[in-house]
Amino acid sequence: MTMVQAINSALRVMMARDDRIVVLGEDVGYFGGVFRVTAGLQAEFGKQRCFDTPISECGIIGAAIGMAAYGLRPVPEIQFADYIYPGLDQIISEAARIRYRSAGDFICPMTVRVPFGGGIFGGQTHSQSPESLFTHISGIKTVVPSTPRDAKGLLIAAIEDNDPVIFMEPKRCYNGPFNGKYDQPARSWADHPDADVDEEYFRIPLGKAKIVREGDECTILTYGTMVHVAGQVLEDRGINGELIDLRTLLPLDIEAIEASVRKTGRCLIIHEATRTSGFGAELSALVQERCFYHLEAPIERVTGFDTPYPHSLEWAYFPGPIRIGEALDRLMQD
């Protein structure tokens, strides 16, 4: 399966198992979503369980919160992460707090699907990576799959969770893994082991990172599209690095991070989002607090730059093989 097909399969499996699950958003019904992720769901489950909304992200999130408090399990789609900001107040002030402010009398089992990230020439308004905004909010969980199998298993776990979840889908990987070599033909998921996805129900628990590649020379912490880019750089440079796909940013698998950095003594953090106050800053602080006496070199970060996402200079902004390779060189020299 592609990642698009895997997410569609997760929604289909869960809607068949639980009639409380509803899908809503702009064009998710008859059209099947801007990326075709919800294709066929309205025809199979009807217009009351998969339906289009007005172009109002605030309205989509607000309606989903109300449904969740009422007892449903809504899965709203925001077409691009860049458009989620009108719904932020609803997420911060309502969704994240319902369970706490009601002392557990009400919960908000809402999973917001959000395509994010660059690499598709989307420019400033279709390429952003706002994950750190959500990890800063207590009361919600933030999930980022990097493969079709993880996308299905993690989405099922998110839908079953009683807390609100922001499910961030790396759209550059929807139809194939991306190794950062933009001047080469696009790859498909066909020969990737994690594209072999079970058609039936399965779940991958939130809060568990995955060691994509074992190694002892350095640790790379990343998520989403950058998992594939980092793996390619390690392979090209012949570095025996340990590559960790965080998979969920909150809850975070701190034990896996700590164990790896203590073993390798070197840590590189990679993400697409802007550098200042990005999630890499949190990871860097955690590694410094827990692994300081095991570090053999300063922690390195490769990120987007502190500018709006540029259209014409996308590949300079994108944390690609050149910048990651240079960071690895510095990391291994010290």
Side-chain angles (χ1 to χ4, degrees):
M1 290 185 189
T2 67
M3 186 178 288
V4 168
Q5 292 167 333
I7 295 169
N8 181 278
S9 178
L11 292 170
R12 177 170 278 104
V13 166
M14 292 305 291
M15 292 177 80
R17 289 168 62 97
D18 188 342
D19 60 11
R20 296 174 300 171
I21 296 169
V22 295
V23 171
L24 65 154
E26 298 158 13
D27 294 325
V28 301
Y30 176 79
F31 184 66
V34 66
F35 292 105
R36 313 295 295 156
V37 172
T38 57
L41 297 181
Q42 187 178 80
E44 184 170 351
F45 298 101
K47 293 182 178 180
Q48 288 190 321
R49 296 192 58 202
C50 180
F51 55 91
D52 296 330
T53 66
I55 303 175
S56 170
E57 284 73 19
C58 177
I60 294 169
I61 298 296
I65 293 171
M67 293 176 191
Y70 186 72
L72 300 178
R73 288 185 174 269
V75 187
E77 175 184 291
I78 302 297
Q79 286 193 342
F80 293 87
D82 316 61
Y83 301 146
I84 201 171
Y85 304 122
L88 266 184
D89 181 52
Q90 299 275 4
I91 294 172
I92 296 171
S93 303
E94 307 299 337
R97 301 178 185 180
I98 286 177
R99 182 160 64 85
Y100 295 84
R101 73 197 299 180
S102 69
D105 287 343
F106 291 92
I107 58 175
C108 188
M110 169 184 74
T111 300
V112 185
R113 292 187 37 253
V114 189
F116 84 107
I120 63 165
F121 293 103
Q124 296 180 8
T125 58
H126 297 80
S127 307
Q128 296 174 39
S129 299
E131 61 270 23
S132 64
L133 292 177
F134 303 109
T135 59
H136 189 63
I137 304 167
S138 299
I140 63 175
K141 296 171 181 172
T142 305
V143 179
V144 187
S146 68
T147 68
R149 183 179 183 279
D150 279 3
K152 179 170 180 176
L154 290 168
L155 180 56
I156 287 176
I159 293 172
E160 292 181 331
D161 200 285
N162 284 337
D163 287 321
V165 177
I166 307 298
F167 193 84
M168 305 193 67
E169 301 165 4
K171 55 183 177 289
R172 187 61 180 81
C173 293
Y174 266 157
N175 293 304
F178 179 56
N179 62 9
K181 299 182 178 180
Y182 62 89
D183 52 350
Q184 296 183 4
R187 301 172 60 196
S188 78
W189 284 110
D191 59 350
H192 194 286
D194 279 349
D196 185 13
V197 183
D198 195 327
E199 296 276 359
E200 305 301 324
Y201 171 94
F202 72 91
R203 72 196 305 274
I204 295 174
L206 307 184
K208 294 294 183 184
K210 178 171 67 176
I211 298 177
V212 177
R213 169 181 176 148
E214 293 189 357
D216 58 11
E217 293 184 344
C218 65
T219 296
I220 295 182
L221 305 177
T222 190
Y223 47 91
T225 301
M226 302 315 300
V227 171
H228 306 284
V229 181
Q232 185 67 56
V233 176
L234 285 175
E235 183 177 330
D236 289 345
R237 293 188 170 248
I239 297 174
N240 188 27
E242 186 146 285
L243 176 57
I244 296 184
D245 180 355
L246 298 176
R247 299 203 288 196
T248 63
L249 308 188
L250 199 70
L252 183 65
D253 192 346
I254 297 174
E255 290 74 18
I257 295 171
E258 185 174 345
S260 180
V261 176
R262 287 186 174 221
K263 178 177 69 174
T264 67
R266 302 173 193 272
C267 180
L268 170 62
I269 298 162
I270 308 171
H271 60 62
E272 294 184 57
T274 51
R275 184 180 183 90
T276 301
S277 301
F279 194 66
E282 177 66 23
L283 292 171
S284 180
L286 283 169
V287 170
Q288 191 276 342
E289 288 170 353
R290 292 169 176 263
C291 307
F292 178 76
Y293 291 107
H294 297 267
L295 290 174
E296 298 180 19
I299 301 165
E300 286 277 350
R301 282 184 287 164
V302 179
T303 70
F305 295 109
D306 289 343
T307 69
Y309 201 103
H311 185 275
S312 60
L313 298 174
E314 174 156 43
W315 299 117
Y317 182 95
F318 193 86
I322 294 176
R323 286 205 284 141
I324 293 173
E326 292 171 348
L328 280 171
D329 289 343
R330 293 192 297 272
L331 190 70
M332 303 304 292
Q333 284 177 358
D334 292 324

